Amino acid sequence: ASADIPIMVNDCSGKMGRAVAEAVVEAGLQLVPFCLTGPGLQQNVIHVKDVHIHVHEASEKEVILDKVIEMYPGVIIADYTLPSAVNDNAEFYIRRGIPFVMGTTGGDRERLVKSVSDSGVYAVIAPQMGKQVVAFQAAMEIMAEEFPGAFAGYKLKVTESHQSSKVDTSGTARAIVASFNKLGVSFEDKEIEMVRNPQEQISKMGVPEEHLKGHAFHTYSLTSPDGMVSFKFEHNVCGRSIYAQGTVDAALFLARKVQEKATKKVYNMIDVLRGGSMR
Ligand code: NAD
């Protein structure tokens, strides 16, 4: 039963890590009461719902993982750390033979996929764990493949709003733009309008004030050359629960693949979506 699958979340004291840890408990899965954090440990124990999690610096990772493997056989790791930790963490999990869900963005992605592929360890790697957002992204890609040029001559306007700490353009917006390009729309990534000013986020994008520190609002508007037709696609995410829930689904999917001894080892969120509901 899925309730028997232990999930270790690194780092439960980070923003995404905490959201994932909460989703793990809410889904009725077993949250491993140990986690690894970056340098500058703030708290030795943190509480996620009823679970007391012992937090250890990454410098202790070997000892902690020995303990976790012994106490929680079949453990799956969910990693939400920092771009600078992606490759080292992945290679560490691989050395220990532990399947993992890599939600952390950045790092050397090519090296990441290669190290997993070469190892025979199972992993889901996805910079966007929001299942429904990934499904929308895939649908746009399918539309572009099926009907190239269908929107030729249309004018596109893309606006994306995220918490002001996000410095780069949204990778999801860039992926959608690539599909619009195939549909015949001429548009460059640098034309994507990034909204990072809180005042503008409220007045222009309609972001609720309590979500200024964690949201992803995207609008894609298309207008026909004669101005007589318009299309608008929008996906507005508040908070982090969509990614946390997607991560739980990815972990359940991975547990099934391990159990089935599947030949394919590296997966993304489209594979998880194709796997159907796991709960
Ligand atoms: P955060 O700064 O709140 O948390 C990161 C935590 O990682 C910190 O507590 C830090 O101490 C810890 N850390 C650093 N190095 C570590 C190491 N070697 N081992 C263990 N812990 C380590 O950041 P966040 O907002 O939680 O975001 C984390 C990552 O998740 C980012 O890369 C972000 O882009 C990504 N993210 C992905 C998705 C998705 O859908 N895949 C969604 C949201 C965020």
Side-chain angles (χ1 to χ4, degrees):
S2 56
D4 302 334
I5 301 166
I7 300 182
M8 177 186 199
V9 181
N10 298 325
D11 167 12
C12 286
S13 58
K15 292 184 288 291
M16 259 316 294
R18 168 166 280 276
V20 171
E22 284 171 359
V24 165
V25 177
E26 270 161 21
L29 307 181
Q30 193 182 10
L31 177 62
V32 170
F34 293 95
C35 86
L36 298 171
T37 191
L41 180 68
Q42 305 280 330
Q43 274 172 294
N44 292 309
V45 177
I46 57 167
H47 307 280
V48 174
K49 304 210 179 260
D50 289 339
V51 188
H52 304 314
I53 299 159
H54 301 267
V55 186
H56 294 269
E57 276 199 20
S59 53
E60 291 179 73
K61 64 187 179 185
E62 304 284 350
V63 185
I64 297 305
L65 217 59
D66 280 345
K67 197 145 114 181
V68 169
I69 291 170
E70 194 192 314
M71 291 170 72
Y72 302 94
V75 63
I76 287 178
I77 291 180
D79 188 293
Y80 279 94
T81 57
L82 292 177
S84 55
V86 165
N87 295 102
D88 282 352
N89 282 7
E91 283 156 31
F92 170 56
Y93 306 146
I94 288 168
R95 278 203 303 282
R96 295 315 194 82
I98 301 178
F100 62 95
V101 177
M102 182 55 80
T104 313
T105 54
D108 182 341
R109 305 307 282 186
E110 224 170 278
R111 180 176 139 199
L112 173 62
V113 172
K114 187 174 186 309
S115 50
V116 183
S117 312
D118 291 349
S119 73
V121 166
Y122 291 87
V124 174
I125 302 173
Q128 166 62 271
M129 290 275 176
K131 272 203 316 187
Q132 295 76 8
V133 176
V134 172
F136 169 67
Q137 208 176 305
M140 296 306 282
E141 230 172 273
I142 293 164
M143 176 156 77
E145 289 299 325
E146 290 285 318
F147 314 119
F151 282 87
Y154 272 62
K155 240 182 81 190
L156 176 65
K157 183 171 153 46
V158 181
T159 317
E160 56 93 339
S161 173
H162 289 82
Q163 56 279 0
S164 45
S165 56
K166 181 172 171 64
V167 291
D168 54 338
T169 327
S170 153
T172 303
R174 281 184 276 123
I176 301 283
V177 164
S179 293
F180 279 126
N181 288 154
K182 282 191 205 145
L183 285 160
V185 178
S186 122
F187 190 90
E188 284 178 49
D189 285 353
K190 64 171 195 283
E191 296 174 69
I192 298 174
E193 194 186 327
M194 296 162 66
V195 183
R196 296 292 182 272
N197 176 294
Q199 237 26 63
E200 221 181 311
Q201 294 179 328
I202 296 173
S203 61
K204 193 169 150 188
M205 305 292 289
V207 178
E209 201 170 341
E210 65 269 33
H211 294 299
L212 286 175
K213 290 214 161 78
H215 70 272
F217 276 39
H218 294 218
T219 305
Y220 311 87
S221 311
L222 290 154
T223 316
S224 66
D226 61 2
M228 301 297 274
V229 183
S230 68
F231 280 78
K232 193 170 180 177
F233 301 89
E234 223 181 276
H235 49 96
N236 296 337
V237 172
C238 288
R240 299 182 169 83
S241 61
I242 186 176
Y243 315 116
Q245 283 159 14
T247 306
V248 169
D249 286 318
L252 292 173
F253 170 88
L254 207 53
R256 198 167 73 188
K257 292 298 163 191
V258 172
Q259 198 189 14
E260 292 171 0
K261 300 191 168 59
T263 43
K264 183 174 155 77
K265 304 286 160 93
V266 191
Y267 300 93
N268 59 28
M269 275 319 264
I270 294 188
D271 298 314
V272 175
L273 279 163
R274 290 212 172 100
S277 180
M278 238 84 33
R279 47 178 166 153

